[in-house]
Amino acid sequence: NIGVAEYARGDINSAIEAYEEAQRIRELTGTMESPDGAILLMHLGIVMGARQAHLIRHIGVERRARRDADTQLEHLAESRRILERCGQVESFEGALVLTNIGIAERARGNIELALEAYSKARFIRKSTDTLETLEGAQLLNSIGAAKGDRGDLEGALDAYGEARRIREATGTLASADGVVLLTNIGVAKRACGDMHAALQAYAEARRIREQTDTLYTPDGAQLLNSI
């Protein structure tokens, strides 16, 4: 819980320290090989990925960022192994772990491996009736981004469209994640040559940023550059 709180307030290093301390305690008490241990490793992998993303924006820390990327995947792979051993990989938690494995693989440029992990996560969400959720919408957005990376714009837009439908149904389109989704739709539409639809998506994303007072931020500036 300390790691979750530290991460929520943006203190990534303190979050990592808290999760690593929890890992040491679980290893000492023999409770690492459990679903709770798997979720701990998943969270540790997520914050490692967040620190990696932060580090690569600064000059001179590429080596540490690469180490974080490797460690992130190691934690996520171990989390998946524990869930498989416990017979719980086809669960809400298993889908989260696979989604984050996909995110990590995409960040390393391994698009096919990312899509493989996303596909397994989507299958689990469909079979457990959890695709029509915020986590399901985030997964579909990630699938769209990976498909766009490999030039499958039709597949990307299909995934984005499904994610948008879920966000509209759950009333969460007007959010930070909704803005990311709309921006991705705009990028894909522009790549298809449909500038009218691209500008519509960008305009909708801009309205949400204005409503949430996030237009005059680095992310807002990036959106304005796209427009």
Side-chain angles (χ1 to χ4, degrees), residues 54-67:
H54 174 76
L55 288 171
I56 61 178
R57 289 197 293 266
H58 297 80
I59 298 172
V61 292
E62 291 86 353
R63 184 175 299 173
R64 184 177 175 187
R66 285 196 296 271
R67 286 201 304 270

PDB file of all heavy atoms in Angstrom, residues 54-67:
ATOM      1  N   HIS A  54      10.672   7.926 -17.579  1.00  0.00           N
ATOM      2  CA  HIS A  54      11.187   9.204 -17.076  1.00  0.00           C
ATOM      3  C   HIS A  54      12.664   9.370 -17.432  1.00  0.00           C
ATOM      4  O   HIS A  54      13.090  10.446 -17.873  1.00  0.00           O
ATOM      5  CB  HIS A  54      11.004   9.273 -15.559  1.00  0.00           C
ATOM      6  CG  HIS A  54      11.633  10.473 -14.927  1.00  0.00           C
ATOM      7  ND1 HIS A  54      11.090  11.735 -15.010  1.00  0.00           N
ATOM      8  CD2 HIS A  54      12.784  10.608 -14.207  1.00  0.00           C
ATOM      9  CE1 HIS A  54      11.865  12.586 -14.368  1.00  0.00           C
ATOM     10  NE2 HIS A  54      12.898  11.935 -13.874  1.00  0.00           N
ATOM     11  N   LEU A  55      13.427   8.298 -17.288  1.00  0.00           N
ATOM     12  CA  LEU A  55      14.867   8.385 -17.510  1.00  0.00           C
ATOM     13  C   LEU A  55      15.224   8.663 -18.964  1.00  0.00           C
ATOM     14  O   LEU A  55      16.146   9.427 -19.252  1.00  0.00           O
ATOM     15  CB  LEU A  55      15.543   7.083 -17.067  1.00  0.00           C
ATOM     16  CG  LEU A  55      15.623   6.835 -15.553  1.00  0.00           C
ATOM     17  CD1 LEU A  55      16.111   5.428 -15.276  1.00  0.00           C
ATOM     18  CD2 LEU A  55      16.533   7.860 -14.891  1.00  0.00           C
ATOM     19  N   ILE A  56      14.504   8.058 -19.903  1.00  0.00           N
ATOM     20  CA  ILE A  56      14.889   8.210 -21.308  1.00  0.00           C
ATOM     21  C   ILE A  56      14.587   9.613 -21.832  1.00  0.00           C
ATOM     22  O   ILE A  56      14.999   9.950 -22.938  1.00  0.00           O
ATOM     23  CB  ILE A  56      14.199   7.157 -22.206  1.00  0.00           C
ATOM     24  CG1 ILE A  56      12.677   7.289 -22.142  1.00  0.00           C
ATOM     25  CG2 ILE A  56      14.650   5.758 -21.842  1.00  0.00           C
ATOM     26  CD1 ILE A  56      11.937   6.319 -23.038  1.00  0.00           C
ATOM     27  N   ARG A  57      13.908  10.427 -21.020  1.00  0.00           N
ATOM     28  CA  ARG A  57      13.679  11.819 -21.419  1.00  0.00           C
ATOM     29  C   ARG A  57      14.856  12.718 -21.019  1.00  0.00           C
ATOM     30  O   ARG A  57      14.848  13.908 -21.292  1.00  0.00           O
ATOM     31  CB  ARG A  57      12.386  12.346 -20.797  1.00  0.00           C
ATOM     32  CG  ARG A  57      11.126  11.753 -21.403  1.00  0.00           C
ATOM     33  CD  ARG A  57       9.905  12.583 -21.050  1.00  0.00           C
ATOM     34  NE  ARG A  57       9.612  12.522 -19.637  1.00  0.00           N
ATOM     35  CZ  ARG A  57       8.762  11.663 -19.089  1.00  0.00           C
ATOM     36  NH1 ARG A  57       8.158  10.773 -19.840  1.00  0.00           N
ATOM     37  NH2 ARG A  57       8.519  11.679 -17.793  1.00  0.00           N
ATOM     38  N   HIS A  58      15.858  12.146 -20.335  1.00  0.00           N
ATOM     39  CA  HIS A  58      16.986  12.939 -19.874  1.00  0.00           C
ATOM     40  C   HIS A  58      18.285  12.417 -20.466  1.00  0.00           C
ATOM     41  O   HIS A  58      18.487  11.213 -20.602  1.00  0.00           O
ATOM     42  CB  HIS A  58      17.063  12.892 -18.339  1.00  0.00           C
ATOM     43  CG  HIS A  58      15.868  13.498 -17.684  1.00  0.00           C
ATOM     44  ND1 HIS A  58      14.676  12.825 -17.546  1.00  0.00           N
ATOM     45  CD2 HIS A  58      15.678  14.722 -17.140  1.00  0.00           C
ATOM     46  CE1 HIS A  58      13.807  13.608 -16.934  1.00  0.00           C
ATOM     47  NE2 HIS A  58      14.377  14.757 -16.680  1.00  0.00           N
ATOM     48  N   ILE A  59      19.165  13.308 -20.812  1.00  0.00           N
ATOM     49  CA  ILE A  59      20.444  12.939 -21.422  1.00  0.00           C
ATOM     50  C   ILE A  59      21.340  12.269 -20.393  1.00  0.00           C
ATOM     51  O   ILE A  59      21.454  12.705 -19.258  1.00  0.00           O
ATOM     52  CB  ILE A  59      21.145  14.187 -21.997  1.00  0.00           C
ATOM     53  CG1 ILE A  59      20.279  14.813 -23.092  1.00  0.00           C
ATOM     54  CG2 ILE A  59      22.532  13.863 -22.530  1.00  0.00           C
ATOM     55  CD1 ILE A  59      20.784  16.130 -23.585  1.00  0.00           C
ATOM     56  N   GLY A  60      22.034  11.204 -20.825  1.00  0.00           N
ATOM     57  CA  GLY A  60      23.038  10.571 -19.994  1.00  0.00           C
ATOM     58  C   GLY A  60      22.551   9.472 -19.084  1.00  0.00           C
ATOM     59  O   GLY A  60      23.324   8.964 -18.276  1.00  0.00           O
ATOM     60  N   VAL A  61      21.282   9.069 -19.188  1.00  0.00           N
ATOM     61  CA  VAL A  61      20.795   8.012 -18.306  1.00  0.00           C
ATOM     62  C   VAL A  61      20.241   6.833 -19.113  1.00  0.00           C
ATOM     63  O   VAL A  61      19.476   6.037 -18.608  1.00  0.00           O
ATOM     64  CB  VAL A  61      19.704   8.546 -17.348  1.00  0.00           C
ATOM     65  CG1 VAL A  61      20.291   9.512 -16.351  1.00  0.00           C
ATOM     66  CG2 VAL A  61      18.579   9.207 -18.120  1.00  0.00           C
ATOM     67  N   GLU A  62      20.625   6.721 -20.379  1.00  0.00           N
ATOM     68  CA  GLU A  62      20.109   5.651 -21.216  1.00  0.00           C
ATOM     69  C   GLU A  62      20.464   4.272 -20.667  1.00  0.00           C
ATOM     70  O   GLU A  62      19.667   3.339 -20.721  1.00  0.00           O
ATOM     71  CB  GLU A  62      20.636   5.781 -22.656  1.00  0.00           C
ATOM     72  CG  GLU A  62      20.084   6.970 -23.422  1.00  0.00           C
ATOM     73  CD  GLU A  62      20.876   8.252 -23.174  1.00  0.00           C
ATOM     74  OE1 GLU A  62      21.778   8.227 -22.301  1.00  0.00           O
ATOM     75  OE2 GLU A  62      20.593   9.257 -23.834  1.00  0.00           O
ATOM     76  N   ARG A  63      21.693   4.117 -20.125  1.00  0.00           N
ATOM     77  CA  ARG A  63      22.114   2.804 -19.624  1.00  0.00           C
ATOM     78  C   ARG A  63      21.238   2.360 -18.465  1.00  0.00           C
ATOM     79  O   ARG A  63      20.799   1.213 -18.400  1.00  0.00           O
ATOM     80  CB  ARG A  63      23.582   2.874 -19.195  1.00  0.00           C
ATOM     81  CG  ARG A  63      24.145   1.522 -18.759  1.00  0.00           C
ATOM     82  CD  ARG A  63      25.620   1.625 -18.457  1.00  0.00           C
ATOM     83  NE  ARG A  63      26.370   2.050 -19.636  1.00  0.00           N
ATOM     84  CZ  ARG A  63      27.661   2.352 -19.614  1.00  0.00           C
ATOM     85  NH1 ARG A  63      28.333   2.294 -18.469  1.00  0.00           N
ATOM     86  NH2 ARG A  63      28.285   2.721 -20.716  1.00  0.00           N
ATOM     87  N   ARG A  64      20.972   3.273 -17.529  1.00  0.00           N
ATOM     88  CA  ARG A  64      20.107   2.917 -16.398  1.00  0.00           C
ATOM     89  C   ARG A  64      18.696   2.615 -16.878  1.00  0.00           C
ATOM     90  O   ARG A  64      18.026   1.718 -16.358  1.00  0.00           O
ATOM     91  CB  ARG A  64      20.084   4.048 -15.379  1.00  0.00           C
ATOM     92  CG  ARG A  64      19.270   3.715 -14.123  1.00  0.00           C
ATOM     93  CD  ARG A  64      19.322   4.834 -13.111  1.00  0.00           C
ATOM     94  NE  ARG A  64      18.463   4.555 -11.987  1.00  0.00           N
ATOM     95  CZ  ARG A  64      18.215   5.428 -11.024  1.00  0.00           C
ATOM     96  NH1 ARG A  64      18.774   6.609 -11.043  1.00  0.00           N
ATOM     97  NH2 ARG A  64      17.407   5.114 -10.032  1.00  0.00           N
ATOM     98  N   ALA A  65      18.230   3.368 -17.876  1.00  0.00           N
ATOM     99  CA  ALA A  65      16.895   3.118 -18.420  1.00  0.00           C
ATOM    100  C   ALA A  65      16.809   1.720 -19.021  1.00  0.00           C
ATOM    101  O   ALA A  65      15.812   1.013 -18.849  1.00  0.00           O
ATOM    102  CB  ALA A  65      16.552   4.173 -19.481  1.00  0.00           C
ATOM    103  N   ARG A  66      17.877   1.295 -19.715  1.00  0.00           N
ATOM    104  CA  ARG A  66      17.879  -0.052 -20.286  1.00  0.00           C
ATOM    105  C   ARG A  66      17.861  -1.104 -19.183  1.00  0.00           C
ATOM    106  O   ARG A  66      17.195  -2.137 -19.304  1.00  0.00           O
ATOM    107  CB  ARG A  66      19.092  -0.232 -21.195  1.00  0.00           C
ATOM    108  CG  ARG A  66      18.970   0.467 -22.545  1.00  0.00           C
ATOM    109  CD  ARG A  66      20.009  -0.056 -23.518  1.00  0.00           C
ATOM    110  NE  ARG A  66      21.367   0.231 -23.079  1.00  0.00           N
ATOM    111  CZ  ARG A  66      22.038   1.343 -23.380  1.00  0.00           C
ATOM    112  NH1 ARG A  66      21.466   2.281 -24.109  1.00  0.00           N
ATOM    113  NH2 ARG A  66      23.273   1.524 -22.956  1.00  0.00           N
ATOM    114  N   ARG A  67      18.603  -0.860 -18.098  1.00  0.00           N
ATOM    115  CA  ARG A  67      18.599  -1.796 -16.975  1.00  0.00           C
ATOM    116  C   ARG A  67      17.200  -1.895 -16.370  1.00  0.00           C
ATOM    117  O   ARG A  67      16.735  -2.984 -16.029  1.00  0.00           O
ATOM    118  CB  ARG A  67      19.598  -1.354 -15.899  1.00  0.00           C
ATOM    119  CG  ARG A  67      21.057  -1.579 -16.273  1.00  0.00           C
ATOM    120  CD  ARG A  67      21.930  -1.612 -15.011  1.00  0.00           C
ATOM    121  NE  ARG A  67      21.783  -0.413 -14.205  1.00  0.00           N
ATOM    122  CZ  ARG A  67      22.522   0.681 -14.332  1.00  0.00           C
ATOM    123  NH1 ARG A  67      23.459   0.748 -15.272  1.00  0.00           N
ATOM    124  NH2 ARG A  67      22.336   1.717 -13.539  1.00  0.00           N
TER     125      ARG A  67
END
